[in-house]
Structures are given as structure tokens and as C-alpha cells.
Amino acid sequence: MENQNNVTEFFILLGLSYNQNIQTFCFVFFLFCYISLLIRNLLILISIQCSPLFNQPMYYFLTHLSSMDICYTSSVTPKLIGDLLWGTKNISYDNCMLQLFAMHFFGGIEIFILTAMAFDRSVAICKPLHYMIIMNRTKRNLLILAAWAGGAVHSIPQLSMAIQLPFCGSKEIDHYFCDIFPLLKIACTDTYITGVLVVANSGMVALVTFVVLVVSYVIILFTLINHSAEGRRKALSTCASHITVVMLFFVPSIFDYLRPPTAYPEDKVFALFYTIVAPMLNPLIYTLRNTEMKNAMRKVWYRLVSTAPQQKLPIP
């Protein structure tokens, strides 16, 4: 037993595929996705910060969602891109634990921010006259603080369970990042209880949050019956963006974590949706379907361009 952890100096991530052509395609695609995600989310952050929209609760939450998109995806994607480029897929034990914690921490915060955004839309549509009173700055800050606390409560047990696992056999992780189920697969101990605890943690958090979000949007849809046609159109446009984000993020997450505690090859494909694809699409979904956001971005960037110093040509 004293030599249980003699192979945990590093792990080998098997990645997505052994095929060189597929790896080249994945490198180009995920590099594009990551750069696109960074640029679009930074555009959203700067545009909201430099416009009056920042004082509106929905856009206040959107800035935090954009920040979490960057942090969450950055915990996984740069390592994946580097592995695809250089072909070296080793990860140290400490970095593996750090990646697992960061992914669940920032992912947990993102889940609770999406919940706060659904609550914000419910109040805006169901109680429009009291909206700014209910969603005052103190309430918004408390919701964000609760999201960070929720992320910590979710991720710390995940890290604690991973740290206690003994590894004395294979060090090959059949995934492209360090996650709890692939680690359970190579641990040299009975992991049944740990697996059940992981399902109770990650799986139930994803499921309960998803149910709460669905219920909130059902309430919104029933409330819209009494609104005018223009009011219904505007509210449905905003809610459709949120529902799209929720489906892209939660459905693959529930498939990966709310099932018997074992690892399947399909996990890597579903994980791509909630680690890379959904965060990349968030800026598109929130800007292309949002007239206020598009107008704010247009005004802010027109102002920046117009106030930039113009280069003077030398007089001949």
C-alpha cells in the first residue's frame, strides 16, 4: 500500500483520436473556437462596461457569464490545443488536480449565473413594475456571490475525492482533460462509493438546476399570455437566447454525470459541447438575437474608432 501512488507524478491524456488527420482538423477547429470565444466575450465585456447597459441587471449578469466562459474554457482548451499541436499529452499530477478543480469551479459558477439570469427574466416579465426594486444592485451582487459560493461548494468535494484516490497501475486517462470519472477508472481501489458521491454531486446539481430553469421559463411563457404582441415578441426573443444556452450546456452535462459512475468513449464527444462549443456560441446567441446589445456594441466601437488618433500624412 505504501507504493500506491508511485505513478502519479504524471498522467497521459489519450485525447480525442490517434488519427493524425483528425488531430490536425481538431487543432485548427478548436484553435478557431478558442480565439473566437476570447474575442467575442471580450467584445461583450468592453461594450457593456462602456455603455449604459451595465446598469441593467440582465447585462450585469451577462458580463459575469462572459467572464466565466473565458475562465471555464481556458481551464481545458489551451491544454487540448497544445496537445494536438505538439503531440505530447502528459499532464502532471498537480496540474491534473488543478484542472479538475478549475473546470468544476468555474463550470459551477456558470451554472448558477445562468440560474440567476433566469430569475432575472422571470422578475422582469412577471413583475415589470417592481423589477428594478427587486433586482437592485445589492440583490445582484448577492446573487453573484452566491454563484461563486455554489461553485466552491460543488468543486471542493470533487477535488477532495480525486486527491484521495490511489493510483498504482495504468496512468493513461481516456479523455482530453482530467475529470473525475476517467480518474476513477484507473484508480486501484473500489470506487463505487466515490462514484455514487460524484453522481450525487455533479449529476444532481446539473439536473436540479436544469429543472429549476425549465420551470422558470414555463412560468414566463404562461405570464406572456397576458402581454401585448410586441411585448411577447421581445420577451420570447430574449428567453429563446437563454433557453438555447441552457440546452447546449445542460443536456450533455446531465448525460455525462447523471448515470452509473463509469467512463464511456462517448463522454469525450458530449464534453466538447459543454466545455468548448456552448461557451463559444454564448456570445453569438446573446448578441445576434439582442438588438440592444448589437446597438451598444456598434456605438461603443464607433466611438473608439472615431476618437482614435488619426495618422497624419507628411506634406510633400
Side-chain angles (χ1 to χ4, degrees):
M1 292 296 293
E2 63 187 13
N3 294 322
Q4 272 187 326
N5 294 309
N6 61 348
V7 297
T8 55
E9 292 183 3
F10 68 93
F11 295 107
I12 299 173
L13 298 170
L14 297 184
L16 296 170
S17 174
Y18 293 108
N19 187 293
Q20 189 60 45
N21 292 329
I22 295 177
Q23 289 191 37
T24 302
F25 170 79
C26 288
F27 166 75
V28 174
F29 177 70
F30 294 131
L31 180 62
F32 167 78
C33 289
Y34 186 59
I35 294 174
S36 174
L37 178 144
L38 291 177
I39 292 174
R40 288 168 181 167
N41 278 294
L42 288 173
L43 285 174
I44 289 177
L45 287 170
I46 295 172
S47 298
I48 294 177
Q49 291 283 348
C50 297
S51 73
L53 292 180
F54 185 73
N55 296 319
Q56 298 185 30
M58 184 178 77
Y59 297 101
Y60 173 79
F61 291 126
L62 183 55
T63 58
H64 286 276
L65 180 65
S66 294
S67 300
M68 286 305 105
D69 277 341
I70 294 173
C71 295
Y72 175 58
T73 306
S74 295
S75 66
V76 174
T77 311
K79 170 64 177 170
L80 171 61
I81 293 172
D83 289 345
L84 291 169
L85 176 62
W86 304 110
T88 56
K89 300 180 180 180
N90 293 350
I91 184 170
S92 68
Y93 176 85
D94 291 340
N95 286 339
C96 181
M97 296 299 111
L98 177 61
Q99 187 181 60
L100 184 147
F101 172 77
M103 195 204 73
H104 283 277
F105 179 60
F106 293 121
I109 295 173
E110 183 156 342
I111 284 175
F112 294 118
I113 289 177
L114 288 171
T115 307
M117 294 177 75
F119 173 70
D120 170 74
R121 289 300 85 203
S122 299
V123 174
I125 293 171
C126 299
K127 296 188 176 182
L129 299 179
H130 302 91
Y131 173 57
M132 293 306 297
I133 297 175
I134 296 174
M135 297 302 298
N136 55 54
R137 182 171 292 276
T138 301
K139 182 70 66 65
R140 283 177 266 165
N141 290 334
L142 285 174
L143 287 172
I144 293 299
L145 182 62
W148 279 77
V153 170
H154 164 65
S155 57
I156 291 174
Q158 297 276 339
L159 178 63
S160 300
M161 288 184 284
I163 288 176
Q164 295 176 26
L165 291 174
F167 303 99
C168 53
S170 173
K171 53 187 176 182
E172 294 183 343
I173 300 176
D174 189 15
H175 216 302
Y176 62 90
F177 66 91
C178 284
D179 202 5
I180 188 69
F181 279 161
L183 287 172
L184 291 178
K185 189 175 180 180
I186 64 172
C188 54
T189 186
D190 184 5
T191 59
Y192 177 77
I193 299 299
T194 305
V196 171
L197 292 175
V198 172
V199 172
N201 184 335
S202 296
M204 292 309 298
V205 165
L207 180 62
V208 171
T209 309
F210 180 70
V211 171
V212 169
L213 291 170
V214 169
V215 170
S216 68
Y217 287 118
V218 169
I219 293 173
I220 289 173
L221 291 175
F222 274 107
T223 306
L224 289 175
I225 295 175
N226 300 321
H227 284 228
S228 65
E230 178 62 22
R232 284 198 300 270
R233 186 198 63 77
K234 186 175 180 180
L236 285 173
S237 177
T238 302
C239 291
S241 303
H242 296 193
I243 293 170
T244 304
V245 171
V246 166
M247 295 299 292
L248 285 171
F249 190 89
F250 280 94
V251 172
S253 300
I254 291 172
F255 175 85
D256 267 3
Y257 292 106
L258 195 66
R259 54 173 174 71
T262 185
Y264 297 104
E266 294 82 7
D267 291 352
K268 292 183 280 188
V269 177
F270 282 95
L272 290 173
F273 281 92
Y274 59 79
T275 58
I276 300 176
V277 176
M280 181 194 69
L281 293 178
N282 280 357
L284 284 175
I285 291 170
Y286 281 107
T287 53
L288 292 180
R289 298 184 61 86
N290 191 314
T291 304
E292 287 182 326
M293 190 68 229
K294 287 190 289 187
N295 290 337
M297 292 177 70
R298 197 176 295 117
K299 289 178 181 178
V300 168
W301 292 103
Y302 175 77
R303 191 186 313 137
L304 291 175
V305 172
S306 61
T307 56
Q310 301 294 324
Q311 183 179 3
K312 295 182 178 181
L313 296 176
I315 299 175

